[in-house]
């Protein structure tokens, strides 16, 4: 069975989840309740506002019906690359299952590229951004294009360093 890996998003002042963070967590909880995943890994360190993204995610997942025994935290990362690098030990404890990346549509291609770089069998699960303005969605897609190119270059550089 697969494991849901919820990729981080902002925590707002007062420890409030951003709409993106809440949406991703609810998507992961839905996958768990439907029996598609056995565990949920919440990824994300301390951003601008405490607590860590992973801790806020855990609370949302609990409230959405995921038991504590099925929630794992990766609370040190600050980037997609770190999210996926840091979950390797957690996945090893679960016998290296396939993963379902829970993110947004605009971010899924970069997340899948990084996951495959680390050798994960990965697919993505994205809920529609129904609570987000069209302007914000467009802005996210426009920001993602250069990030995708940068990550492609960065992963190639890492590959060359490890093989050289």
């Amino acid at each position: 069975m697969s494991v849901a890996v919820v990729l981080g998003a902002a925590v707002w002042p007062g420890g409030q989840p951003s709409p993106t963070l809440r949406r991703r967590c609810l998507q992961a909880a839905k996958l768990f309740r439907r029996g598609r995943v056995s565990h949920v890994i919440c990824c994300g360190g301390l951003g601008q506002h405490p607590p860590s993204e992973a801790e806020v995610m855990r609370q949302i997942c609990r409230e959405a019906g995921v038991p504590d025994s099925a929630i794992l935290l990766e609370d040190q990362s600050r980037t997609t690359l770190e999210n996926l690098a840091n979950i390797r030990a957690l996945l090893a404890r679960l016998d290296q299952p396939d993963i379902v990346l829970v993110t947004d549509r605009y971010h899924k291609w970069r997340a899948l590229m990084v996951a495959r770089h680390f050798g994960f069998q990965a697919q993505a699960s994205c809920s529609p951004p129904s609570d987000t303005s069209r302007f914000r969605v467009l802005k996210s897609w426009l920001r993602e294009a250069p990030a995708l190119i940068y990550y492609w270059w960065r992963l190639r550089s890492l590959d060359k360093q490890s093989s050289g």
Side-chain angles (χ1 to χ4, degrees):
M1 183 174 286
S2 297
V3 171
V5 177
V6 187
L7 300 177
V11 173
W12 288 357
Q16 293 301 306
S18 63
T20 300
L21 187 68
R22 178 173 300 284
R23 183 175 57 248
R24 291 178 184 181
C25 293
L26 295 176
Q27 180 72 9
K30 182 168 75 173
L31 294 172
F32 180 83
R33 288 191 314 268
R34 290 184 175 171
R36 283 205 47 219
V37 298
S38 62
H39 291 81
V40 174
I41 298 177
C42 301
C43 297
L46 182 61
Q48 232 177 344
H49 304 284
S52 71
E53 295 168 6
E55 188 56 47
V56 173
M57 289 176 177
R58 175 180 14 208
Q59 187 59 38
I60 295 168
C61 288
R62 278 181 186 151
E63 291 169 2
V66 181
D68 279 334
S69 61
I71 301 172
L72 301 167
L73 299 187
E74 183 291 297
D75 61 0
Q76 300 301 305
S77 61
R78 297 183 50 90
T79 67
T80 302
L81 186 62
E82 291 174 357
N83 289 161
L84 293 164
N86 294 353
I87 65 168
R88 291 180 288 189
L90 296 172
L91 289 173
R93 290 190 351 219
L94 300 173
D95 294 327
Q96 301 277 356
D98 294 345
I99 62 174
V100 177
L101 298 170
V102 182
T103 189
D104 288 280
R105 288 186 178 129
Y106 62 84
H107 182 242
K108 84 175 187 179
W109 303 112
R110 179 163 49 112
L112 286 167
M113 179 175 62
V114 175
R116 291 177 181 143
H117 168 81
F118 287 118
F120 299 137
Q121 294 295 316
Q123 58 181 302
S125 179
C126 309
S127 62
S130 57
D131 55 353
T132 306
S133 72
R134 288 181 184 192
F135 173 76
R136 196 156 194 62
V137 171
L138 177 62
K139 183 178 166 185
S140 296
W141 276 99
L142 291 173
R143 186 189 74 209
E144 192 61 29
L148 184 63
I149 294 166
Y150 171 75
Y151 266 63
W152 174 82
W153 173 81
R154 177 105 191 264
L155 295 172
R156 267 190 78 173
S157 298
L158 290 173
D159 286 341
K160 286 179 183 179
Q161 288 174 3
S162 67
S163 66

